Amino acid sequence: MKLEAVELLRLNVPLKGAFRTSFSSINTHQVLWVHAITDVGEGWAECGANERPDYSSEFHHGAATVLKEFLLPDVFALGDDLNAEAVAPTLHWAKGHRMAKAAIETAVLDAQLRAAGVSLASYLGATKARVPAGVSVGIMNSFDELLTHVEGYLAEGYLRIKLKIEPGWDYEPVRLVRETFGDDLLLQVDANTAYTRDDFDLLKRLDDFNLLLIEQPIEEEDILGHAKLAAYIETPICLDESIVSADIARDAIELGAAEIINIKPSRVGGYIESRKIHDVSVANNIPVWCGGMLETGIGRAANLALAAMPGFTLPGDTSASSRYFEVDTTEPFVLRDGHIDVPTGPGIGVDPIREIVDSYTVSQEWVRAL
Ligand code: OSB
Ligand code: MG
């Protein structure tokens, strides 16, 4: 196959309510989409980069720029030798920029699979038709507000709750949620690197609550620090930000820093690298689950396909469209019995709804081979 043109779209998608983490509070999700036009058909992908380099070093305009200046020209230059498996090796020379790389690889993969009539789920080796859904709950202004939100999500049927934490919003909110909703609630926390090696005693206090895991308590680069913390506390350490490749996953596991892994395809450079992380984790008896970056339907569909692989034994952040959006960019994903159906159609299995996408689009540009 051959890449003929790429449309880069920027969307501003309003959220139902503010989403606050240890690194930001947002009311609008700014999204970059990659729409690939190939000789065998089109493909779609949502780039995981945030507007600001606050979750990782990547950000919206940076991703668009590196795509236009360096990544897309090399993919165009493959000519008829293009296929999704060739994208990562071709772009390997460019350091980092995994979210940008993931976006072009995924758009090409979507086009390739649509043309072949194969779903992303079957391409990845998925074994489940539906996946259990968890929900990520932001930092709130009050405990009342927190309990109201958690109660609402549980009433909708979500099977596990993840609380965002930061210094000053950790022990008490977790205690309240545990005491209010009982010992059977699947409960975990995510610090997005908000703590340091000086906070180990504070983090150890969270052992009181029988949490499934604590996600990324300290710096992305501090894998050894996570290993030290894992040896010091009972709560399993789950890495998110730190795991940027299958090689890093292997090392973190060997060091004892990753007792569980959150796989986010955007963070690691795409679905093919995600499958490698899945495989290295399964080989080492490390449970994995699928994280998210507030994806709209295009990205959510692809994440559900990944989450349907056999090693994904914990509920992911693959919640329903209605968790974040009044109106999603595709047919909405809905929660039924705490689960979400994995798309079965070719490629990612969903199509953007043009009128809705247009209403969210703030800019659009075409990139072509020189
Ligand atoms: O750390 O998992 C994270 C959202 C944006 C950036 C980072 C994270 C998150 C979430 C929500 O926790 C995931 C989602 O619901 O898509
Ligand atoms: Mg996280």
Side-chain angles (χ1 to χ4, degrees), residues 38-241:
T38 78
D39 60 337
V40 300
E42 58 184 348
W44 296 90
E46 187 164 311
C47 179
N50 281 347
E51 184 197 1
R52 290 149 42 90
D54 50 10
Y55 162 78
S56 73
S57 64
E58 291 188 79
F59 65 103
H60 227 239
H61 286 278
T65 301
V66 79
L67 278 162
K68 280 185 285 186
E69 289 199 19
F70 302 107
L71 308 183
L72 296 180
D74 277 17
V75 180
F76 283 126
L78 284 172
D80 288 324
D81 294 331
L82 173 67
N83 55 61
E85 296 76 13
V87 173
T90 299
L91 303 179
H92 182 71
W93 68 270
K95 305 300 184 193
H97 297 286
R98 291 181 171 88
M99 290 179 171
K101 291 175 178 175
I104 182 57
E105 182 189 90
T106 304
V108 169
L109 181 57
D110 184 35
Q112 177 175 317
L113 295 177
R114 283 178 197 257
V118 175
S119 70
L120 178 60
S122 55
Y123 172 83
L124 292 171
T127 51
K128 289 170 262 184
R130 51 178 217 157
V131 295
V135 60
S136 176
V137 182
I139 295 166
M140 303 280 166
N141 294 314
S142 70
F143 294 147
D144 273 358
E145 201 187 346
L146 176 68
L147 293 179
T148 305
H149 275 82
V150 172
E151 189 173 21
Y153 292 131
L154 293 176
E156 283 183 61
Y158 283 105
L159 297 174
R160 75 95 169 103
I161 297 289
K162 158 169 143 182
L163 301 181
K164 290 292 196 180
I165 59 168
E166 66 182 4
W169 184 268
D170 40 40
Y171 191 86
E172 274 308 304
V174 175
R175 185 182 66 78
L176 259 175
V177 168
R178 178 54 90 209
E179 283 179 4
T180 308
F181 301 102
D183 292 341
D184 291 340
L185 173 67
L186 299 182
L187 183 63
Q188 63 192 55
V189 295
D190 184 3
N192 290 110
T193 76
Y195 298 87
T196 73
R197 289 193 186 196
D198 294 334
D199 296 318
F200 285 6
D201 285 319
L202 192 159
L203 294 168
K204 191 172 175 60
R205 294 183 65 212
L206 295 173
D207 284 348
D208 292 351
F209 305 121
N210 191 29
L211 299 175
L212 281 172
L213 58 90
I214 176 168
E215 190 179 341
Q216 198 69 42
I218 64 177
E219 282 296 335
E220 172 181 331
E221 293 81 3
D222 196 3
I223 305 227
L224 184 61
H226 283 100
K228 290 177 190 283
L229 180 61
Y232 190 63
I233 70 177
E234 300 297 321
T235 308
I237 302 293
C238 171
L239 294 184
D240 172 354
E241 284 87 332

